[in-house]
Amino acid sequence: DGGITQSPKYLFRKEGQNVTLSCEQNLNHDAMYWYRQDPGQGLRLIYYSQIVNDFQKGDIAEGYSVSREKKESFPLTVTSAQKNPTAFYLCASNKGGLDTQYFGPGTRLTVL
Amino acid sequence: AQTVTQSQPEMSVQEAETVTLSCTYDTSENNYYLFWYKQPPSRQMILVIRQEAYKQQNATENRFSVNFQKAAKSFSLKISDSQLGDTAMYFCAFMKPRDNYGGSQGNLIFGKGTKLSVKP
């Protein structure tokens, strides 16, 4: 089955620790995206990548980092510099350009 | 900058009835795309419907249809014959065609969502 997987589903970390969220897709999509969702808010774009080995900051990139070494994978690292990291994180992908984005199931990160 | 506004934080509807969710947006672009996504309690984001701004005909997908008013910058979602499984958060989203530097094409801007409850 083709799709987007995110792991883990739930993640707990202590304050001050870096943590990496996984996003993998087997849809042969060129573009991948990371969004953050907070209660009562819509999704906000953190980082996006339209091609392997290239990525751009979104609207709220501070405190986050990404890599895109493989077409299928776009991991997101939440660093200790992110002041309020507890949130629901969604990964998405598409063929690029103006193609519809499709989403993974999300990761709930809680920083204690 | 583009913005998307959903003015109804919560709505409820009786099963089998029809409900309309509102969305307005602000842009100076002429060509763009609009979307409705559904997020049920599982939190999986699911595409409901997509509308291209250059198409005058309103998009439909089974029980879901939109009323796209380009001049008014309005994009409402109508759900007919509501079912219990329609209970979810609904997000309206605008797809940016490009930014001033030629990038950002395909990035989505989301509204804050409308929580829809379908009651038996």
Side-chain angles (χ1 to χ4, degrees):
Chain A
D1 283 338
I4 303 169
T5 57
Q6 292 186 243
S7 61
K9 187 172 182 178
Y10 299 97
L11 189 55
F12 296 88
R13 279 295 182 267
K14 293 182 179 180
E15 194 172 338
Q17 290 182 334
N18 292 356
V19 60
T20 297
L21 282 60
S22 169
C23 177
E24 303 275 336
Q25 54 95 3
N26 61 5
L27 300 168
N28 199 32
H29 285 170
D30 288 314
M32 298 185 73
Y33 308 80
W34 273 106
Y35 292 91
R36 171 181 171 138
Q37 184 178 24
D38 294 285
Q41 300 291 323
L43 279 65
R44 293 181 291 168
L45 183 65
I46 304 172
Y47 267 98
Y48 63 101
S49 168
Q50 306 221 348
I51 196 168
V52 175
N53 292 323
D54 189 39
F55 48 83
Q56 286 79 38
K57 294 181 179 179
D59 300 319
I60 56 165
E62 185 175 353
Y64 300 97
S65 66
V66 294
S67 63
R68 186 85 188 277
E69 296 176 1
K70 298 188 300 181
K71 187 175 185 178
E72 302 79 15
S73 180
F74 191 41
L76 173 73
T77 297
V78 184
T79 74
S80 56
Q82 168 51 232
K83 295 180 180 179
N84 186 17
T86 294
F88 187 63
Y89 291 86
L90 284 155
C91 177
S93 72
N94 67 1
K95 296 175 187 176
L98 299 174
D99 186 46
T100 297
Q101 290 184 24
Y102 297 93
F103 286 81
T107 293
R108 172 68 183 175
L109 172 64
T110 302
V111 176
L112 305 171
Chain B
Q2 291 89 349
T3 58
V4 177
T5 303
Q6 293 179 251
S7 59
Q8 305 148 316
E10 293 192 40
M11 295 188 71
S12 65
V13 64
Q14 291 295 128
E15 195 175 7
E17 292 187 348
T18 295
V19 63
T20 299
L21 280 58
S22 300
C23 173
T24 58
Y25 57 94
D26 186 25
T27 184
S28 58
E29 300 286 343
N30 188 47
N31 293 318
Y32 48 86
Y33 293 75
L34 295 162
F35 301 83
W36 279 98
Y37 282 90
K38 165 184 175 180
Q39 188 178 42
S42 67
R43 304 199 77 174
Q44 172 79 52
M45 291 287 284
I46 301 166
L47 175 69
V48 176
I49 205 163
R50 166 186 169 122
Q51 174 79 44
E52 289 83 0
Y54 62 85
K55 290 186 178 179
Q56 292 185 338
Q57 186 173 6
N58 289 325
T60 62
E61 285 289 342
N62 302 314
R63 297 182 295 106
F64 299 87
S65 62
V66 297
N67 183 6
F68 174 48
Q69 301 289 329
K70 190 173 183 180
K73 297 180 182 176
S74 171
F75 184 59
S76 61
L77 175 70
K78 185 172 81 172
I79 305 173
S80 303
D81 185 25
S82 296
Q83 300 176 0
L84 296 178
D86 295 333
T87 292
M89 286 288 293
Y90 286 82
F91 292 95
C92 179
F94 172 95
M95 181 170 275
K96 293 167 66 173
R98 66 182 183 277
D99 64 12
N100 290 337
Y101 305 98
S104 301
Q105 187 175 21
N107 290 352
L108 286 170
I109 300 169
F110 286 85
K112 293 187 176 182
T114 295
K115 184 177 181 180
L116 177 67
S117 298
V118 180
K119 300 185 184 302

